[in-house]
Every structure is written in structure tokens, then in C-alpha cells.
Amino acid sequence: MSYSILVVDDSPVIRKMMKRSLSLSKLELGTVYEACNGQEALVVLRREWIDVVLADIHMPVMGGTELIEAMSKDPELSKIPVVVVSAERNAQAIAHLKTLGICAHLTKPFTPEQVLHAVDDVLEQVAQRSVA
Amino acid sequence: MSQVLLAGPLGEVTKSVLSEAAFLFCDELSEGAAPLEARLVEATITFEGATPGRITLRLPWHVACEAAANLLGAEPGDDDVEANAHAAVGELLNMISGSALERWFGSGSQWSLGLPSVSEREGRLPSSAPRGELVALAIDDARIELEASLGSVT
């Protein structure tokens, strides 16, 4: 089984870094989709099968918090795990994201290993849930 | 918080972020170092909260390209390095700012980080009329500069 991942970040540099990090994974990866903001991400999420979302918080048009709120209200999208990868270090903002159900929060700068570890963990949880 | 308390932590997080994220290693600027006239990339980010403010990062163009290459895992001459130089500087400032705000105010304080705006110009470092506190560092003898100021950002 291959996994499809959506990377949501307004920075093309970060999207490329994420894709490069994910390419090092031992997991069987399918397509890695990209979106520049939350609005673009919702279009991809409603069109494609996505196993994990890696999302930034501060983005133009629609930020990550608004994206996660929109996903949590949509029964079709609410089960898709989200890992937040952001420069955000504000404890209250991170606590709010956790109440919205994010699976993990990585702070920038990140290492490829941190991204892989977070994605592996999330996919393992997804696999265990589907077995149960 | 007085302006003078900004520089120390800002310099420390800048060294840490640039080395960790982009393999750029900063040294202290030697006394009497010559000013730099160069093609510069300048990124500015504002933040809101109990104490609003702004942080600016200025790098010579060749350092911006080196940062982009290192972030992308590319060679300095690769096609997409120059095209991503602005985005790389903006992202590095974003990373520096998140860490600096945490150091300045603590993670329990409320703030909101804006989006970086990036531009390019021929310019001089050190800046001749800074509006805030300057932090100057050197990367392979190239001068880089950060400027932090607190207060209204409108």
C-alpha cells in the first residue's frame, strides 16, 4: 500500500524540503501533493485520496488553523491526520491546534528525520486504527 | 522590554537557525570590519501581541543563494537556486522570528507572527539609519544584519 501526502506551505523552499525529506522514507510513498495555502489544500483534499497532511500555520489567503478548522467540520475530511510544521511556538496557539485534533506539531527549523518520524508515527496510528 | 534586551537572544537564535536549517555558520563580526556595498536581499516580518514589533534580515545576494542551495539540497549553480533565493531568506526570517519571540516573551505569551515580505536592492551594510536595534554577524566574512524594533508596526 502506498501513502499519499499533502504538503501545505506558502514557501516553495519548504515544500521542496518536505518532498526531499519524504523521499528518504522507507515507507512506500504514492503521490506527494502540494498546496500554497489552506484554500488550495481543501481543493486537493476534496479531489484526491490523502493519507496525511503536513501543514504550515501562517499562510496567505487561508492559514493552517482555518484549514484544520474547516477539515474538522467536514465529515469527509475530519479523519485525515494533520501534522503541523510551523515556526509557531506560542503555547496557546499550539494548544488550540491540539483541541482541533492535530496529530503532531513540528517546529521549524526541522530535520528530515523529524519529518519522517512524525509521518511514520501518524501512518502507524492510521494502520492500527484500520486494523481495529 | 527595552530595545537593548533584543539583540543578544536574536543573535543567538539567528546563529542556531542558520546553522541548523541552512548550514550557514555565523561568526562575530570583527571590530573595524569594512562596510559592505552589495546586492542585498531584505526580508521583514511583523508581529502583533502585547508588544508588537518587526524584525528585518539583510543578506548579500550570494549568501541568499547559498542559503537557498543548502535548504534545497542543491548546488549553488543549479537552475532553481536563484529563483528560490527570496523565498529562502523569507523562510529563514520566519524561523528566526518564531524562535526570537519565544526567547523574548516566553512561549506562554500571546503573539501573532505575520508573513515575511522580501525585496532586493543595491545597498550598504551596516544600515545607515536603522529604526531598531542592529545585530551584525559574518558568514564567511560576508556581513549580514538583523534589525529588531518594538512598538507600533503600522
Side-chain angles (χ1 to χ4, degrees):
Chain A
M1 178 183 176
S2 66
Y3 298 100
S4 294
I5 295 176
L6 172 60
V7 176
V8 192
D9 201 301
D10 57 320
S11 168
V13 169
I14 292 293
R15 295 199 303 274
K16 286 180 184 178
M17 286 174 69
M18 292 277 199
K19 288 183 87 166
R20 190 161 53 95
S21 299
L22 292 167
S23 72
L24 303 173
S25 174
K26 289 175 185 156
L27 293 167
E28 195 179 333
L29 285 184
T31 306
V32 179
Y33 296 92
E34 295 183 39
C36 297
N37 58 58
Q39 203 170 75
E40 281 189 12
L42 286 172
V43 172
V44 176
L45 285 162
R46 288 176 177 138
R47 194 185 61 211
E48 309 289 346
W49 177 268
I50 299 293
D51 293 290
V52 182
V53 176
L54 298 173
D56 188 17
I57 291 302
H58 302 289
M59 295 178 285
V61 184
M62 180 191 270
T65 304
E66 293 80 9
L67 165 65
I68 296 161
E69 284 169 348
M71 288 176 68
S72 68
K73 289 174 189 161
D74 185 330
E76 297 283 318
L77 307 181
S78 61
K79 299 272 194 302
I80 300 174
V82 180
V83 176
V84 169
V85 186
S86 170
E88 181 63 72
R89 288 164 183 261
N90 182 288
Q92 284 174 297
I94 295 165
H96 175 60
L97 293 169
K98 286 182 176 164
T99 65
L100 294 172
I102 65 164
C103 294
H105 172 251
L106 293 180
T107 51
K108 297 175 183 175
F110 56 82
T111 63
E113 291 77 17
Q114 286 172 318
V115 174
L116 290 179
H117 187 66
V119 171
D120 284 353
D121 275 359
V122 168
L123 290 175
E124 202 170 306
Q125 289 169 29
V126 170
Q128 283 173 356
R129 270 208 303 260
S130 63
V131 168
Chain B
M1 176 184 283
S2 72
Q3 294 274 334
V4 77
L5 295 176
L6 300 176
L10 183 58
E12 287 167 17
V13 299
T14 299
K15 287 179 189 173
S16 170
V17 167
L18 293 183
S19 63
E20 197 177 326
F23 309 110
L24 295 175
F25 298 95
C26 298
D27 298 313
E28 297 300 328
L29 203 62
S30 57
E31 277 188 36
L36 176 71
E37 300 274 356
R39 182 183 179 188
L40 302 176
V41 180
E42 178 176 284
T44 296
I45 199 164
T46 59
F47 52 91
E48 300 286 345
T51 311
R54 77 173 73 225
I55 305 173
T56 298
L57 171 64
R58 301 182 186 99
L59 299 174
W61 171 251
H62 78 275
V63 177
C65 290
E66 192 178 345
N70 292 348
L71 285 167
L72 295 169
E75 293 299 321
D78 286 358
D79 287 345
D80 59 348
V81 165
E82 290 203 357
N84 283 290
H86 284 203
V89 175
E91 192 51 48
L92 288 171
L93 178 63
N94 188 38
M95 295 176 191
I96 289 167
S97 301
S99 296
L101 288 170
E102 185 183 36
R103 288 285 299 276
W104 289 340
F105 306 125
S107 63
S109 301
Q110 266 200 309
W111 70 75
S112 170
L113 198 55
L115 297 169
S117 64
V118 186
S119 61
E120 190 183 315
R121 62 183 170 82
E122 292 293 326
R124 182 180 184 277
L125 297 180
S127 298
S128 54
R131 290 191 292 177
E133 193 171 342
L134 286 180
V135 175
L137 297 166
I139 296 173
D140 292 336
D141 294 329
R143 182 188 287 260
I144 73 162
E145 184 178 282
L146 291 106
E147 183 178 336
S149 58
L150 300 180
S152 174
V153 293
T154 53

PDB file of all heavy atoms in Angstrom, chain A residues 77-106:
ATOM      1  N   LEU A  77     -13.439  14.882   5.627  1.00  0.00           N
ATOM      2  CA  LEU A  77     -12.024  15.258   5.822  1.00  0.00           C
ATOM      3  C   LEU A  77     -11.562  15.160   7.277  1.00  0.00           C
ATOM      4  O   LEU A  77     -10.362  15.193   7.543  1.00  0.00           O
ATOM      5  CB  LEU A  77     -11.784  16.700   5.338  1.00  0.00           C
ATOM      6  CG  LEU A  77     -12.229  17.050   3.923  1.00  0.00           C
ATOM      7  CD1 LEU A  77     -11.900  18.508   3.609  1.00  0.00           C
ATOM      8  CD2 LEU A  77     -11.570  16.135   2.903  1.00  0.00           C
ATOM      9  N   SER A  78     -12.505  15.048   8.184  1.00  0.00           N
ATOM     10  CA  SER A  78     -12.158  15.189   9.605  1.00  0.00           C
ATOM     11  C   SER A  78     -11.273  14.062  10.126  1.00  0.00           C
ATOM     12  O   SER A  78     -10.601  14.221  11.143  1.00  0.00           O
ATOM     13  CB  SER A  78     -13.428  15.285  10.450  1.00  0.00           C
ATOM     14  OG  SER A  78     -14.195  14.117  10.295  1.00  0.00           O
ATOM     15  N   LYS A  79     -11.262  12.928   9.422  1.00  0.00           N
ATOM     16  CA  LYS A  79     -10.448  11.798   9.900  1.00  0.00           C
ATOM     17  C   LYS A  79      -9.015  11.825   9.351  1.00  0.00           C
ATOM     18  O   LYS A  79      -8.190  11.007   9.732  1.00  0.00           O
ATOM     19  CB  LYS A  79     -11.106  10.472   9.493  1.00  0.00           C
ATOM     20  CG  LYS A  79     -12.506  10.259  10.061  1.00  0.00           C
ATOM     21  CD  LYS A  79     -12.434   9.613  11.423  1.00  0.00           C
ATOM     22  CE  LYS A  79     -13.760   9.060  11.906  1.00  0.00           C
ATOM     23  NZ  LYS A  79     -14.817  10.072  11.983  1.00  0.00           N
ATOM     24  N   ILE A  80      -8.750  12.722   8.429  1.00  0.00           N
ATOM     25  CA  ILE A  80      -7.403  12.747   7.824  1.00  0.00           C
ATOM     26  C   ILE A  80      -6.427  13.363   8.829  1.00  0.00           C
ATOM     27  O   ILE A  80      -6.635  14.488   9.311  1.00  0.00           O
ATOM     28  CB  ILE A  80      -7.394  13.574   6.516  1.00  0.00           C
ATOM     29  CG1 ILE A  80      -8.361  12.954   5.509  1.00  0.00           C
ATOM     30  CG2 ILE A  80      -5.980  13.658   5.930  1.00  0.00           C
ATOM     31  CD1 ILE A  80      -8.542  13.786   4.241  1.00  0.00           C
ATOM     32  N   PRO A  81      -5.366  12.634   9.184  1.00  0.00           N
ATOM     33  CA  PRO A  81      -4.428  13.171  10.174  1.00  0.00           C
ATOM     34  C   PRO A  81      -3.646  14.373   9.651  1.00  0.00           C
ATOM     35  O   PRO A  81      -3.260  14.408   8.480  1.00  0.00           O
ATOM     36  CB  PRO A  81      -3.489  11.993  10.471  1.00  0.00           C
ATOM     37  CG  PRO A  81      -3.704  11.008   9.403  1.00  0.00           C
ATOM     38  CD  PRO A  81      -5.005  11.276   8.737  1.00  0.00           C
ATOM     39  N   VAL A  82      -3.440  15.331  10.539  1.00  0.00           N
ATOM     40  CA  VAL A  82      -2.706  16.549  10.182  1.00  0.00           C
ATOM     41  C   VAL A  82      -1.496  16.693  11.103  1.00  0.00           C
ATOM     42  O   VAL A  82      -1.617  16.601  12.328  1.00  0.00           O
ATOM     43  CB  VAL A  82      -3.589  17.810  10.325  1.00  0.00           C
ATOM     44  CG1 VAL A  82      -2.789  19.066   9.953  1.00  0.00           C
ATOM     45  CG2 VAL A  82      -4.842  17.700   9.466  1.00  0.00           C
ATOM     46  N   VAL A  83      -0.343  16.913  10.495  1.00  0.00           N
ATOM     47  CA  VAL A  83       0.870  17.263  11.236  1.00  0.00           C
ATOM     48  C   VAL A  83       1.169  18.729  10.922  1.00  0.00           C
ATOM     49  O   VAL A  83       1.287  19.099   9.750  1.00  0.00           O
ATOM     50  CB  VAL A  83       2.071  16.389  10.811  1.00  0.00           C
ATOM     51  CG1 VAL A  83       3.346  16.838  11.527  1.00  0.00           C
ATOM     52  CG2 VAL A  83       1.795  14.915  11.087  1.00  0.00           C
ATOM     53  N   VAL A  84       1.251  19.551  11.956  1.00  0.00           N
ATOM     54  CA  VAL A  84       1.563  20.966  11.755  1.00  0.00           C
ATOM     55  C   VAL A  84       3.079  21.146  11.776  1.00  0.00           C
ATOM     56  O   VAL A  84       3.758  20.645  12.680  1.00  0.00           O
ATOM     57  CB  VAL A  84       0.889  21.832  12.839  1.00  0.00           C
ATOM     58  CG1 VAL A  84       1.422  23.255  12.806  1.00  0.00           C
ATOM     59  CG2 VAL A  84      -0.622  21.836  12.628  1.00  0.00           C
ATOM     60  N   VAL A  85       3.595  21.828  10.757  1.00  0.00           N
ATOM     61  CA  VAL A  85       5.033  22.124  10.667  1.00  0.00           C
ATOM     62  C   VAL A  85       5.153  23.638  10.519  1.00  0.00           C
ATOM     63  O   VAL A  85       4.865  24.186   9.464  1.00  0.00           O
ATOM     64  CB  VAL A  85       5.678  21.416   9.455  1.00  0.00           C
ATOM     65  CG1 VAL A  85       7.184  21.631   9.473  1.00  0.00           C
ATOM     66  CG2 VAL A  85       5.352  19.932   9.453  1.00  0.00           C
ATOM     67  N   SER A  86       5.539  24.294  11.596  1.00  0.00           N
ATOM     68  CA  SER A  86       5.426  25.755  11.606  1.00  0.00           C
ATOM     69  C   SER A  86       6.494  26.386  12.493  1.00  0.00           C
ATOM     70  O   SER A  86       7.050  25.735  13.372  1.00  0.00           O
ATOM     71  CB  SER A  86       4.031  26.108  12.139  1.00  0.00           C
ATOM     72  OG  SER A  86       3.917  27.473  12.397  1.00  0.00           O
ATOM     73  N   ALA A  87       6.718  27.668  12.258  1.00  0.00           N
ATOM     74  CA  ALA A  87       7.590  28.437  13.157  1.00  0.00           C
ATOM     75  C   ALA A  87       6.835  28.868  14.407  1.00  0.00           C
ATOM     76  O   ALA A  87       7.418  29.486  15.299  1.00  0.00           O
ATOM     77  CB  ALA A  87       8.131  29.667  12.434  1.00  0.00           C
ATOM     78  N   GLU A  88       5.558  28.547  14.460  1.00  0.00           N
ATOM     79  CA  GLU A  88       4.725  28.932  15.605  1.00  0.00           C
ATOM     80  C   GLU A  88       5.217  28.242  16.875  1.00  0.00           C
ATOM     81  O   GLU A  88       5.346  27.029  16.916  1.00  0.00           O
ATOM     82  CB  GLU A  88       3.273  28.517  15.331  1.00  0.00           C
ATOM     83  CG  GLU A  88       2.292  28.867  16.421  1.00  0.00           C
ATOM     84  CD  GLU A  88       2.174  30.368  16.628  1.00  0.00           C
ATOM     85  OE1 GLU A  88       1.590  31.056  15.791  1.00  0.00           O
ATOM     86  OE2 GLU A  88       2.709  30.832  17.663  1.00  0.00           O
ATOM     87  N   ARG A  89       5.488  29.034  17.900  1.00  0.00           N
ATOM     88  CA  ARG A  89       5.939  28.477  19.177  1.00  0.00           C
ATOM     89  C   ARG A  89       5.084  28.976  20.327  1.00  0.00           C
ATOM     90  O   ARG A  89       5.428  28.776  21.492  1.00  0.00           O
ATOM     91  CB  ARG A  89       7.402  28.855  19.432  1.00  0.00           C
ATOM     92  CG  ARG A  89       8.365  28.110  18.520  1.00  0.00           C
ATOM     93  CD  ARG A  89       9.725  28.741  18.500  1.00  0.00           C
ATOM     94  NE  ARG A  89      10.596  28.053  17.568  1.00  0.00           N
ATOM     95  CZ  ARG A  89      11.500  27.138  17.903  1.00  0.00           C
ATOM     96  NH1 ARG A  89      11.644  26.785  19.160  1.00  0.00           N
ATOM     97  NH2 ARG A  89      12.258  26.578  16.991  1.00  0.00           N
ATOM     98  N   ASN A  90       3.990  29.631  19.992  1.00  0.00           N
ATOM     99  CA  ASN A  90       3.112  30.167  21.021  1.00  0.00           C
ATOM    100  C   ASN A  90       2.296  29.036  21.637  1.00  0.00           C
ATOM    101  O   ASN A  90       1.567  28.324  20.934  1.00  0.00           O
ATOM    102  CB  ASN A  90       2.195  31.211  20.372  1.00  0.00           C
ATOM    103  CG  ASN A  90       1.277  31.847  21.366  1.00  0.00           C
ATOM    104  OD1 ASN A  90       0.344  31.208  21.821  1.00  0.00           O
ATOM    105  ND2 ASN A  90       1.540  33.080  21.716  1.00  0.00           N
ATOM    106  N   ALA A  91       2.413  28.885  22.950  1.00  0.00           N
ATOM    107  CA  ALA A  91       1.797  27.740  23.630  1.00  0.00           C
ATOM    108  C   ALA A  91       0.279  27.719  23.456  1.00  0.00           C
ATOM    109  O   ALA A  91      -0.307  26.645  23.255  1.00  0.00           O
ATOM    110  CB  ALA A  91       2.160  27.767  25.112  1.00  0.00           C
ATOM    111  N   GLN A  92      -0.346  28.896  23.501  1.00  0.00           N
ATOM    112  CA  GLN A  92      -1.804  28.926  23.371  1.00  0.00           C
ATOM    113  C   GLN A  92      -2.245  28.540  21.958  1.00  0.00           C
ATOM    114  O   GLN A  92      -3.241  27.842  21.780  1.00  0.00           O
ATOM    115  CB  GLN A  92      -2.331  30.312  23.735  1.00  0.00           C
ATOM    116  CG  GLN A  92      -2.334  30.546  25.238  1.00  0.00           C
ATOM    117  CD  GLN A  92      -2.709  31.969  25.577  1.00  0.00           C
ATOM    118  OE1 GLN A  92      -1.996  32.907  25.198  1.00  0.00           O
ATOM    119  NE2 GLN A  92      -3.799  32.143  26.282  1.00  0.00           N
ATOM    120  N   ALA A  93      -1.516  29.024  20.969  1.00  0.00           N
ATOM    121  CA  ALA A  93      -1.859  28.680  19.584  1.00  0.00           C
ATOM    122  C   ALA A  93      -1.703  27.181  19.356  1.00  0.00           C
ATOM    123  O   ALA A  93      -2.550  26.548  18.704  1.00  0.00           O
ATOM    124  CB  ALA A  93      -0.972  29.464  18.615  1.00  0.00           C
ATOM    125  N   ILE A  94      -0.648  26.604  19.919  1.00  0.00           N
ATOM    126  CA  ILE A  94      -0.422  25.166  19.740  1.00  0.00           C
ATOM    127  C   ILE A  94      -1.487  24.362  20.496  1.00  0.00           C
ATOM    128  O   ILE A  94      -2.001  23.360  19.988  1.00  0.00           O
ATOM    129  CB  ILE A  94       1.007  24.796  20.199  1.00  0.00           C
ATOM    130  CG1 ILE A  94       2.024  25.475  19.277  1.00  0.00           C
ATOM    131  CG2 ILE A  94       1.210  23.282  20.199  1.00  0.00           C
ATOM    132  CD1 ILE A  94       3.438  25.489  19.808  1.00  0.00           C
ATOM    133  N   ALA A  95      -1.846  24.834  21.678  1.00  0.00           N
ATOM    134  CA  ALA A  95      -2.902  24.155  22.446  1.00  0.00           C
ATOM    135  C   ALA A  95      -4.216  24.173  21.676  1.00  0.00           C
ATOM    136  O   ALA A  95      -4.949  23.172  21.643  1.00  0.00           O
ATOM    137  CB  ALA A  95      -3.066  24.829  23.807  1.00  0.00           C
ATOM    138  N   HIS A  96      -4.517  25.310  21.023  1.00  0.00           N
ATOM    139  CA  HIS A  96      -5.744  25.401  20.226  1.00  0.00           C
ATOM    140  C   HIS A  96      -5.721  24.387  19.095  1.00  0.00           C
ATOM    141  O   HIS A  96      -6.726  23.710  18.818  1.00  0.00           O
ATOM    142  CB  HIS A  96      -5.904  26.825  19.682  1.00  0.00           C
ATOM    143  CG  HIS A  96      -7.076  26.987  18.766  1.00  0.00           C
ATOM    144  ND1 HIS A  96      -8.371  26.737  19.167  1.00  0.00           N
ATOM    145  CD2 HIS A  96      -7.151  27.359  17.459  1.00  0.00           C
ATOM    146  CE1 HIS A  96      -9.201  26.953  18.152  1.00  0.00           C
ATOM    147  NE2 HIS A  96      -8.474  27.323  17.113  1.00  0.00           N
ATOM    148  N   LEU A  97      -4.562  24.256  18.442  1.00  0.00           N
ATOM    149  CA  LEU A  97      -4.443  23.292  17.343  1.00  0.00           C
ATOM    150  C   LEU A  97      -4.667  21.866  17.849  1.00  0.00           C
ATOM    151  O   LEU A  97      -5.279  21.045  17.164  1.00  0.00           O
ATOM    152  CB  LEU A  97      -3.063  23.399  16.689  1.00  0.00           C
ATOM    153  CG  LEU A  97      -2.784  24.701  15.936  1.00  0.00           C
ATOM    154  CD1 LEU A  97      -1.316  24.799  15.563  1.00  0.00           C
ATOM    155  CD2 LEU A  97      -3.652  24.786  14.689  1.00  0.00           C
ATOM    156  N   LYS A  98      -4.191  21.603  19.048  1.00  0.00           N
ATOM    157  CA  LYS A  98      -4.377  20.252  19.607  1.00  0.00           C
ATOM    158  C   LYS A  98      -5.853  19.974  19.885  1.00  0.00           C
ATOM    159  O   LYS A  98      -6.324  18.858  19.705  1.00  0.00           O
ATOM    160  CB  LYS A  98      -3.525  20.080  20.857  1.00  0.00           C
ATOM    161  CG  LYS A  98      -2.043  19.932  20.484  1.00  0.00           C
ATOM    162  CD  LYS A  98      -1.159  19.705  21.676  1.00  0.00           C
ATOM    163  CE  LYS A  98       0.288  19.474  21.205  1.00  0.00           C
ATOM    164  NZ  LYS A  98       1.269  19.611  22.263  1.00  0.00           N
ATOM    165  N   THR A  99      -6.579  21.005  20.316  1.00  0.00           N
ATOM    166  CA  THR A  99      -8.020  20.797  20.539  1.00  0.00           C
ATOM    167  C   THR A  99      -8.738  20.508  19.216  1.00  0.00           C
ATOM    168  O   THR A  99      -9.799  19.899  19.207  1.00  0.00           O
ATOM    169  CB  THR A  99      -8.691  22.028  21.200  1.00  0.00           C
ATOM    170  OG1 THR A  99      -8.632  23.132  20.296  1.00  0.00           O
ATOM    171  CG2 THR A  99      -8.043  22.392  22.517  1.00  0.00           C
ATOM    172  N   LEU A 100      -8.151  20.969  18.110  1.00  0.00           N
ATOM    173  CA  LEU A 100      -8.749  20.700  16.793  1.00  0.00           C
ATOM    174  C   LEU A 100      -8.365  19.320  16.273  1.00  0.00           C
ATOM    175  O   LEU A 100      -8.830  18.903  15.218  1.00  0.00           O
ATOM    176  CB  LEU A 100      -8.312  21.771  15.787  1.00  0.00           C
ATOM    177  CG  LEU A 100      -8.813  23.187  16.044  1.00  0.00           C
ATOM    178  CD1 LEU A 100      -8.152  24.169  15.079  1.00  0.00           C
ATOM    179  CD2 LEU A 100     -10.333  23.261  15.911  1.00  0.00           C
ATOM    180  N   GLY A 101      -7.491  18.623  16.991  1.00  0.00           N
ATOM    181  CA  GLY A 101      -7.197  17.230  16.660  1.00  0.00           C
ATOM    182  C   GLY A 101      -5.944  16.983  15.864  1.00  0.00           C
ATOM    183  O   GLY A 101      -5.793  15.911  15.269  1.00  0.00           O
ATOM    184  N   ILE A 102      -5.006  17.935  15.824  1.00  0.00           N
ATOM    185  CA  ILE A 102      -3.774  17.654  15.072  1.00  0.00           C
ATOM    186  C   ILE A 102      -3.026  16.499  15.727  1.00  0.00           C
ATOM    187  O   ILE A 102      -3.111  16.288  16.942  1.00  0.00           O
ATOM    188  CB  ILE A 102      -2.856  18.886  14.947  1.00  0.00           C
ATOM    189  CG1 ILE A 102      -2.317  19.332  16.320  1.00  0.00           C
ATOM    190  CG2 ILE A 102      -3.543  20.010  14.226  1.00  0.00           C
ATOM    191  CD1 ILE A 102      -1.119  20.268  16.215  1.00  0.00           C
ATOM    192  N   CYS A 103      -2.307  15.750  14.903  1.00  0.00           N
ATOM    193  CA  CYS A 103      -1.595  14.563  15.416  1.00  0.00           C
ATOM    194  C   CYS A 103      -0.242  14.915  15.999  1.00  0.00           C
ATOM    195  O   CYS A 103       0.243  14.232  16.899  1.00  0.00           O
ATOM    196  CB  CYS A 103      -1.380  13.569  14.292  1.00  0.00           C
ATOM    197  SG  CYS A 103      -2.901  12.882  13.694  1.00  0.00           S
ATOM    198  N   ALA A 104       0.402  15.919  15.430  1.00  0.00           N
ATOM    199  CA  ALA A 104       1.751  16.276  15.895  1.00  0.00           C
ATOM    200  C   ALA A 104       2.056  17.700  15.483  1.00  0.00           C
ATOM    201  O   ALA A 104       1.408  18.252  14.573  1.00  0.00           O
ATOM    202  CB  ALA A 104       2.788  15.330  15.293  1.00  0.00           C
ATOM    203  N   HIS A 105       3.030  18.282  16.165  1.00  0.00           N
ATOM    204  CA  HIS A 105       3.464  19.641  15.840  1.00  0.00           C
ATOM    205  C   HIS A 105       4.980  19.666  15.779  1.00  0.00           C
ATOM    206  O   HIS A 105       5.650  19.326  16.752  1.00  0.00           O
ATOM    207  CB  HIS A 105       2.950  20.619  16.915  1.00  0.00           C
ATOM    208  CG  HIS A 105       3.506  21.992  16.758  1.00  0.00           C
ATOM    209  ND1 HIS A 105       4.430  22.538  17.618  1.00  0.00           N
ATOM    210  CD2 HIS A 105       3.283  22.930  15.811  1.00  0.00           C
ATOM    211  CE1 HIS A 105       4.743  23.751  17.203  1.00  0.00           C
ATOM    212  NE2 HIS A 105       4.070  24.017  16.122  1.00  0.00           N
ATOM    213  N   LEU A 106       5.512  20.017  14.623  1.00  0.00           N
ATOM    214  CA  LEU A 106       6.962  20.162  14.466  1.00  0.00           C
ATOM    215  C   LEU A 106       7.270  21.644  14.313  1.00  0.00           C
ATOM    216  O   LEU A 106       6.571  22.353  13.589  1.00  0.00           O
ATOM    217  CB  LEU A 106       7.452  19.468  13.198  1.00  0.00           C
ATOM    218  CG  LEU A 106       7.361  17.958  13.113  1.00  0.00           C
ATOM    219  CD1 LEU A 106       7.918  17.500  11.760  1.00  0.00           C
ATOM    220  CD2 LEU A 106       8.151  17.313  14.225  1.00  0.00           C
TER     221      LEU A 106
END
